[in-house]
Amino acid sequence: MRTAQKEIEERTRLAGSNKFELLLFRLGESPGSGQRELFGINVFKVREVLVMPPVTELANAHEHLMGVANIRGQIIPVINLPAVLGCVPKKGLSILMVTEFGRTVQAFAVEDVREIVQLDWDQVLPAESSHAGALITGIARLDGATADTRLAQVLDVEQILKTVMPVTTEEINREVVGPELVLPAGSTILVADDSAVARSVIELGLKAMGVTYIMTKTGKEAWERLQAIAEEATANGKTAREKVAVVLTDLEMPEMDGFTLTRLIKQDPRFKSIPVVIHSSLTGTTNENHVKSVGADAYVAKFAPRELAATIRNVLPPH
């Protein structure tokens, strides 16, 4: 039997090659078609899968928050995932997926869990290009680009948690992010994140810091934008480093993940001096160590605007 550490190491190596593992599950019948569609979540987010334990209902909780469960001595909120997605489970909610996300732990009740599949990120189409809803970040083509490939919807956990368990966060202003940040003249911050919720929080922080930025939605889009900036800079007798002060990237993204984007940047002589900050909900020592191995300059957890602002300031050279 593989040890937990060995499994983590293997999945970390996958991430370095633009691959990941997706846990597939079903939520019941879709209201429109009556079909039992497949959904997926990155295995890196899943702490364990278990038979549904007793759940204690909470007074005045959100309609999709079933209550809390005592799992190995930890009290964990349980979210009714089929209800959030509008599905009707015909077999009951028999399985609980416990996840770690952005330094928080929560559990999702599902109808059943199917399998774990290994995919390339380029097998995942961005949600907007596939016309998926707000709770989906992408559509995974499980069997590649074949005509009859099975499809799975990759959940936007950030958006789901914001919907079901909104937290009262401090207003993002100068008191939070510090004084205005003056970037080198003519330069900007390039951002890549596939989650609309995360992008909106990042934008608030960067606006409060008074900096200009370019927002992209996948690692591939960011990489293409960076190359275009380099070509334009060269035509004007400048360097890419003079045009891009920092690259801020998520890890999990359709088409190209943040690990691959970072490695491409750091291996390219045109870009390797540009600081790269990885901004992710995939927290934990193993992920943070892997961030260093691909050459990123810093790592910061999502939805921590003070830490993000401080990290951006720290990676910028004095000028």
Side-chain angles (χ1 to χ4, degrees), residues 248-267:
L248 177 64
T249 178
D250 187 16
L251 286 182
E252 298 179 282
M253 292 180 289
E255 300 183 309
M256 180 189 292
D257 68 11
F259 288 125
T260 303
L261 174 61
T262 302
R263 191 176 63 253
L264 289 173
I265 290 171
K266 292 303 183 178
Q267 289 177 351

Side-chain angles (χ1 to χ4, degrees), residues 12-135:
T12 299
R13 282 195 293 271
L14 282 179
S17 56
N18 204 41
K19 297 177 184 292
F20 72 111
E21 288 185 323
L22 193 67
L23 176 65
L24 300 177
F25 53 90
R26 297 189 193 276
L27 301 177
E29 295 183 1
S30 298
S33 65
Q35 297 186 83
R36 297 175 67 242
E37 308 292 358
L38 280 172
F39 294 87
I41 185 172
N42 192 328
V43 171
F44 248 136
K45 284 193 170 92
V46 181
R47 192 170 80 178
E48 62 180 314
V49 177
L50 63 156
V51 174
M52 181 67 70
V55 176
T56 300
E57 187 175 344
L58 298 176
N60 299 318
H62 187 280
E63 61 178 328
H64 300 324
L65 183 63
M66 296 172 62
V68 294
N70 183 353
I71 300 174
R72 307 187 198 290
Q74 185 175 7
I75 305 302
I76 296 176
V78 176
I79 296 168
N80 185 332
L81 197 51
V84 175
L85 274 293
C87 297
V88 181
K90 295 297 186 180
K91 299 180 180 180
L93 297 176
S94 59
I95 302 294
L96 197 65
M97 298 189 308
V98 181
T99 63
E100 292 189 50
F101 176 87
R103 296 177 181 167
T104 65
V105 178
Q106 53 282 312
F108 296 97
V110 302
E111 186 179 61
D112 64 46
V113 169
R114 307 304 295 177
E115 61 182 308
I116 292 175
V117 294
Q118 186 181 120
L119 304 173
D120 290 308
W121 274 111
D122 61 12
Q123 288 177 245
V124 183
L125 299 174
E128 293 186 5
S129 66
S130 55
H131 307 287
L135 300 179

Side-chain angles (χ1 to χ4, degrees), residues 10 28 75 95 109 112 130 152 174 182 198 201 229 254 268 293 299 316:
E10 289 175 1
I75 305 302
I95 302 294
D112 64 46
S130 55
R174 286 281 168 82
V182 180
V201 174
I229 290 172
D268 193 312
S293 74
Y299 179 101
L316 284 171

